Amino acid sequence: MGDILKMNRMMIIGTGSALPERVLANSDLEKMVDTSDEWITSRSGIKTRHIAAKGEETSKLSTAAAMKALEMANIGAEDLDMIIVGTITSEISMPSCACLVQKNIGAVNAFAFDINSACCGFLYGLDIAEKYIKTNPDMHVLVIGAENLSARVNWQDRNTCVLFGDGAGAAVVSGSSSGRGMIGGRMYSDGRLHKLLWMNSAPSMNPALAIPDHDGSYIKMAGRDVFKYAVRALSQAVTDVLDQEGFDLADVNIVVPHQANIRILKSLADRLDIPLEKLYINVYKYGNTSAASIPIALDEANRAGLLPEGEMILLCAFGGGFTWGASLLRW
Ligand code: COA
């Protein structure tokens, strides 16, 4: 607990999440593609995922999650100084999803922007917010991870469509001198591996810049390679952030990882030599919601009373880019 003496940490003071109403079960997918509940469950751990309908676009889910986080933080939208949304599936390209959220909640004093770092969007967002808050602890920042991946998967491709879901999670953060808050983070990218997990943009309107043989703006993935890299990268990030901050895994009370796949999480726990029970897992309910998965899990764990004050929480994520990272927090 020596870290407790450090001042001006970025602390999460409110969390919120929102999920589309419609739930798609593995048995529903059996009627859509050549798959089975047994295959999906044994390969991914996923049983159901939420699928957005009209009125549940990324900015709308983000807004709903943000309102809940603001309510818990007990501040008004006008108290926000900055809004960051991690997303790769905003319903429009310009303006940012963050600007739509700003408008929807009335955060008239904030500046707002999106970041594209796939499943690491929320972690990268927290990391950026922390740098601002370190120099100005009075700031209030809204960090959101939100996705509508169901709009961007190929529903004929059984290799990908069974794995993803929609949703949004949010956190309101501010400065604290109590010793609680973010201890440190380590973020990484390796763009050389981008063709292992990627998604085209919409076809170009400029013929000179059009991608030849554009085959749709769907998520494409080399599943086995992604699996291998994910386990290695996640364990590296976890080990590095602990080394950097002078802690070890025994000091960590709960790991809230990106929820991609139960087999990745089991392999991660094995590699780190920690019991699976130390990981908060909800992938079976929501599938892989990319940038939304960590803030949804955090909010769920928070509201269930699973994050007692003073406990050490470790967040870690891996996704397209590749991007990966880990953050350590004193709750
Ligand atoms: N239902 C039934 N069969 C399926 C299927 C589905 N939904 N999807 C793929 N298959 C088939 C494949 O076509 C293949 O058949 P074949 O041997 O006749 O060609 C077979 O199952 C095995 O495919 P393979 O890709 O080797 O399976 P796997 O054991 O590697 O599992 C993943 C596939 C995608 C579940 C696994 O690789 C994985 O979890 N990767 C990481 C994915 C991920 O989390 N990505 C996001 C990271 S942020």
Side-chain angles (χ1 to χ4, degrees), residues 18 58-68 100-102 104-105 144 168:
T58 307
S59 71
K60 305 269 177 48
L61 294 172
S62 299
T63 300
M67 303 281 276
K68 291 182 194 161
L100 299 180
V101 173
Q102 178 195 23
N104 292 345
I105 63 176
I144 297 173

PDB file of all heavy atoms in Angstrom, residues 18 58-68 100-102 104-105 144 168:
ATOM      1  N   ALA A  18     -24.841   0.410 -21.066  1.00  0.00           N
ATOM      2  CA  ALA A  18     -26.123   0.274 -21.764  1.00  0.00           C
ATOM      3  C   ALA A  18     -25.998  -0.812 -22.819  1.00  0.00           C
ATOM      4  O   ALA A  18     -24.983  -0.893 -23.516  1.00  0.00           O
ATOM      5  CB  ALA A  18     -26.501   1.594 -22.426  1.00  0.00           C
ATOM      6  N   THR A  58     -24.560   3.572 -31.950  1.00  0.00           N
ATOM      7  CA  THR A  58     -23.426   3.705 -31.018  1.00  0.00           C
ATOM      8  C   THR A  58     -23.551   4.961 -30.147  1.00  0.00           C
ATOM      9  O   THR A  58     -23.329   4.916 -28.933  1.00  0.00           O
ATOM     10  CB  THR A  58     -22.102   3.730 -31.810  1.00  0.00           C
ATOM     11  OG1 THR A  58     -22.080   2.586 -32.661  1.00  0.00           O
ATOM     12  CG2 THR A  58     -20.901   3.688 -30.892  1.00  0.00           C
ATOM     13  N   SER A  59     -23.922   6.086 -30.748  1.00  0.00           N
ATOM     14  CA  SER A  59     -24.002   7.327 -29.955  1.00  0.00           C
ATOM     15  C   SER A  59     -25.150   7.263 -28.948  1.00  0.00           C
ATOM     16  O   SER A  59     -25.074   7.851 -27.863  1.00  0.00           O
ATOM     17  CB  SER A  59     -24.172   8.544 -30.865  1.00  0.00           C
ATOM     18  OG  SER A  59     -25.467   8.558 -31.431  1.00  0.00           O
ATOM     19  N   LYS A  60     -26.208   6.537 -29.295  1.00  0.00           N
ATOM     20  CA  LYS A  60     -27.365   6.445 -28.381  1.00  0.00           C
ATOM     21  C   LYS A  60     -27.008   5.551 -27.177  1.00  0.00           C
ATOM     22  O   LYS A  60     -27.321   5.871 -26.032  1.00  0.00           O
ATOM     23  CB  LYS A  60     -28.582   5.875 -29.114  1.00  0.00           C
ATOM     24  CG  LYS A  60     -28.975   6.634 -30.371  1.00  0.00           C
ATOM     25  CD  LYS A  60     -29.976   7.728 -30.062  1.00  0.00           C
ATOM     26  CE  LYS A  60     -30.352   8.567 -31.267  1.00  0.00           C
ATOM     27  NZ  LYS A  60     -30.709   7.862 -32.490  1.00  0.00           N
ATOM     28  N   LEU A  61     -26.361   4.426 -27.472  1.00  0.00           N
ATOM     29  CA  LEU A  61     -25.933   3.546 -26.371  1.00  0.00           C
ATOM     30  C   LEU A  61     -24.917   4.279 -25.492  1.00  0.00           C
ATOM     31  O   LEU A  61     -24.955   4.193 -24.262  1.00  0.00           O
ATOM     32  CB  LEU A  61     -25.320   2.249 -26.924  1.00  0.00           C
ATOM     33  CG  LEU A  61     -26.269   1.310 -27.674  1.00  0.00           C
ATOM     34  CD1 LEU A  61     -25.486   0.167 -28.326  1.00  0.00           C
ATOM     35  CD2 LEU A  61     -27.349   0.744 -26.756  1.00  0.00           C
ATOM     36  N   SER A  62     -24.017   5.023 -26.138  1.00  0.00           N
ATOM     37  CA  SER A  62     -23.009   5.806 -25.396  1.00  0.00           C
ATOM     38  C   SER A  62     -23.678   6.812 -24.478  1.00  0.00           C
ATOM     39  O   SER A  62     -23.275   7.009 -23.322  1.00  0.00           O
ATOM     40  CB  SER A  62     -22.108   6.584 -26.363  1.00  0.00           C
ATOM     41  OG  SER A  62     -21.423   5.721 -27.211  1.00  0.00           O
ATOM     42  N   THR A  63     -24.699   7.465 -25.005  1.00  0.00           N
ATOM     43  CA  THR A  63     -25.407   8.495 -24.231  1.00  0.00           C
ATOM     44  C   THR A  63     -26.068   7.873 -23.003  1.00  0.00           C
ATOM     45  O   THR A  63     -25.977   8.410 -21.886  1.00  0.00           O
ATOM     46  CB  THR A  63     -26.466   9.178 -25.126  1.00  0.00           C
ATOM     47  OG1 THR A  63     -25.794   9.780 -26.236  1.00  0.00           O
ATOM     48  CG2 THR A  63     -27.249  10.235 -24.362  1.00  0.00           C
ATOM     49  N   ALA A  64     -26.722   6.718 -23.211  1.00  0.00           N
ATOM     50  CA  ALA A  64     -27.399   6.059 -22.089  1.00  0.00           C
ATOM     51  C   ALA A  64     -26.389   5.644 -21.012  1.00  0.00           C
ATOM     52  O   ALA A  64     -26.634   5.818 -19.809  1.00  0.00           O
ATOM     53  CB  ALA A  64     -28.174   4.849 -22.595  1.00  0.00           C
ATOM     54  N   ALA A  65     -25.239   5.119 -21.451  1.00  0.00           N
ATOM     55  CA  ALA A  65     -24.201   4.712 -20.484  1.00  0.00           C
ATOM     56  C   ALA A  65     -23.650   5.935 -19.755  1.00  0.00           C
ATOM     57  O   ALA A  65     -23.421   5.920 -18.535  1.00  0.00           O
ATOM     58  CB  ALA A  65     -23.085   3.967 -21.207  1.00  0.00           C
ATOM     59  N   ALA A  66     -23.459   7.026 -20.507  1.00  0.00           N
ATOM     60  CA  ALA A  66     -22.906   8.259 -19.934  1.00  0.00           C
ATOM     61  C   ALA A  66     -23.823   8.834 -18.859  1.00  0.00           C
ATOM     62  O   ALA A  66     -23.362   9.266 -17.792  1.00  0.00           O
ATOM     63  CB  ALA A  66     -22.693   9.293 -21.049  1.00  0.00           C
ATOM     64  N   MET A  67     -25.128   8.829 -19.122  1.00  0.00           N
ATOM     65  CA  MET A  67     -26.079   9.388 -18.146  1.00  0.00           C
ATOM     66  C   MET A  67     -26.004   8.631 -16.817  1.00  0.00           C
ATOM     67  O   MET A  67     -26.056   9.218 -15.741  1.00  0.00           O
ATOM     68  CB  MET A  67     -27.515   9.296 -18.679  1.00  0.00           C
ATOM     69  CG  MET A  67     -27.724   9.968 -20.010  1.00  0.00           C
ATOM     70  SD  MET A  67     -27.880  11.733 -19.887  1.00  0.00           S
ATOM     71  CE  MET A  67     -29.595  11.841 -19.510  1.00  0.00           C
ATOM     72  N   LYS A  68     -25.860   7.309 -16.919  1.00  0.00           N
ATOM     73  CA  LYS A  68     -25.782   6.511 -15.683  1.00  0.00           C
ATOM     74  C   LYS A  68     -24.484   6.803 -14.936  1.00  0.00           C
ATOM     75  O   LYS A  68     -24.460   6.881 -13.703  1.00  0.00           O
ATOM     76  CB  LYS A  68     -25.873   5.015 -16.014  1.00  0.00           C
ATOM     77  CG  LYS A  68     -27.254   4.622 -16.516  1.00  0.00           C
ATOM     78  CD  LYS A  68     -27.295   3.134 -16.781  1.00  0.00           C
ATOM     79  CE  LYS A  68     -28.534   2.771 -17.586  1.00  0.00           C
ATOM     80  NZ  LYS A  68     -28.444   1.486 -18.255  1.00  0.00           N
ATOM     81  N   LEU A 100     -21.529  13.753 -30.696  1.00  0.00           N
ATOM     82  CA  LEU A 100     -22.959  13.424 -30.608  1.00  0.00           C
ATOM     83  C   LEU A 100     -23.367  13.222 -29.144  1.00  0.00           C
ATOM     84  O   LEU A 100     -24.432  13.675 -28.713  1.00  0.00           O
ATOM     85  CB  LEU A 100     -23.280  12.174 -31.436  1.00  0.00           C
ATOM     86  CG  LEU A 100     -23.001  12.271 -32.938  1.00  0.00           C
ATOM     87  CD1 LEU A 100     -23.366  10.963 -33.639  1.00  0.00           C
ATOM     88  CD2 LEU A 100     -23.762  13.430 -33.569  1.00  0.00           C
ATOM     89  N   VAL A 101     -22.514  12.559 -28.395  1.00  0.00           N
ATOM     90  CA  VAL A 101     -22.791  12.357 -26.969  1.00  0.00           C
ATOM     91  C   VAL A 101     -22.832  13.718 -26.266  1.00  0.00           C
ATOM     92  O   VAL A 101     -23.733  13.997 -25.462  1.00  0.00           O
ATOM     93  CB  VAL A 101     -21.720  11.450 -26.308  1.00  0.00           C
ATOM     94  CG1 VAL A 101     -21.916  11.379 -24.804  1.00  0.00           C
ATOM     95  CG2 VAL A 101     -21.754  10.049 -26.919  1.00  0.00           C
ATOM     96  N   GLN A 102     -21.869  14.563 -26.599  1.00  0.00           N
ATOM     97  CA  GLN A 102     -21.824  15.902 -25.987  1.00  0.00           C
ATOM     98  C   GLN A 102     -23.148  16.630 -26.189  1.00  0.00           C
ATOM     99  O   GLN A 102     -23.729  17.188 -25.254  1.00  0.00           O
ATOM    100  CB  GLN A 102     -20.693  16.726 -26.618  1.00  0.00           C
ATOM    101  CG  GLN A 102     -20.640  18.140 -26.064  1.00  0.00           C
ATOM    102  CD  GLN A 102     -19.798  19.075 -26.906  1.00  0.00           C
ATOM    103  OE1 GLN A 102     -19.580  18.836 -28.095  1.00  0.00           O
ATOM    104  NE2 GLN A 102     -19.336  20.140 -26.290  1.00  0.00           N
ATOM    105  N   ASN A 104     -26.094  15.253 -26.971  1.00  0.00           N
ATOM    106  CA  ASN A 104     -27.214  14.545 -26.337  1.00  0.00           C
ATOM    107  C   ASN A 104     -27.316  14.808 -24.845  1.00  0.00           C
ATOM    108  O   ASN A 104     -28.409  14.875 -24.296  1.00  0.00           O
ATOM    109  CB  ASN A 104     -27.079  13.029 -26.565  1.00  0.00           C
ATOM    110  CG  ASN A 104     -27.281  12.648 -28.010  1.00  0.00           C
ATOM    111  OD1 ASN A 104     -27.780  13.427 -28.804  1.00  0.00           O
ATOM    112  ND2 ASN A 104     -26.884  11.435 -28.370  1.00  0.00           N
ATOM    113  N   ILE A 105     -26.167  14.924 -24.179  1.00  0.00           N
ATOM    114  CA  ILE A 105     -26.228  15.084 -22.713  1.00  0.00           C
ATOM    115  C   ILE A 105     -26.142  16.556 -22.303  1.00  0.00           C
ATOM    116  O   ILE A 105     -26.351  16.888 -21.146  1.00  0.00           O
ATOM    117  CB  ILE A 105     -25.138  14.257 -21.979  1.00  0.00           C
ATOM    118  CG1 ILE A 105     -23.716  14.718 -22.361  1.00  0.00           C
ATOM    119  CG2 ILE A 105     -25.306  12.772 -22.273  1.00  0.00           C
ATOM    120  CD1 ILE A 105     -22.613  13.977 -21.586  1.00  0.00           C
ATOM    121  N   ILE A 144     -15.671   6.760 -22.671  1.00  0.00           N
ATOM    122  CA  ILE A 144     -16.678   5.783 -23.102  1.00  0.00           C
ATOM    123  C   ILE A 144     -16.019   4.766 -24.044  1.00  0.00           C
ATOM    124  O   ILE A 144     -15.135   5.109 -24.817  1.00  0.00           O
ATOM    125  CB  ILE A 144     -17.827   6.500 -23.852  1.00  0.00           C
ATOM    126  CG1 ILE A 144     -18.559   7.472 -22.909  1.00  0.00           C
ATOM    127  CG2 ILE A 144     -18.824   5.499 -24.441  1.00  0.00           C
ATOM    128  CD1 ILE A 144     -19.600   8.351 -23.599  1.00  0.00           C
ATOM    129  N   ALA A 168     -22.360  -0.431 -24.741  1.00  0.00           N
ATOM    130  CA  ALA A 168     -21.546   0.736 -24.382  1.00  0.00           C
ATOM    131  C   ALA A 168     -21.302   0.759 -22.880  1.00  0.00           C
ATOM    132  O   ALA A 168     -22.158   0.339 -22.101  1.00  0.00           O
ATOM    133  CB  ALA A 168     -22.257   2.029 -24.808  1.00  0.00           C
TER     134      ALA A 168
END
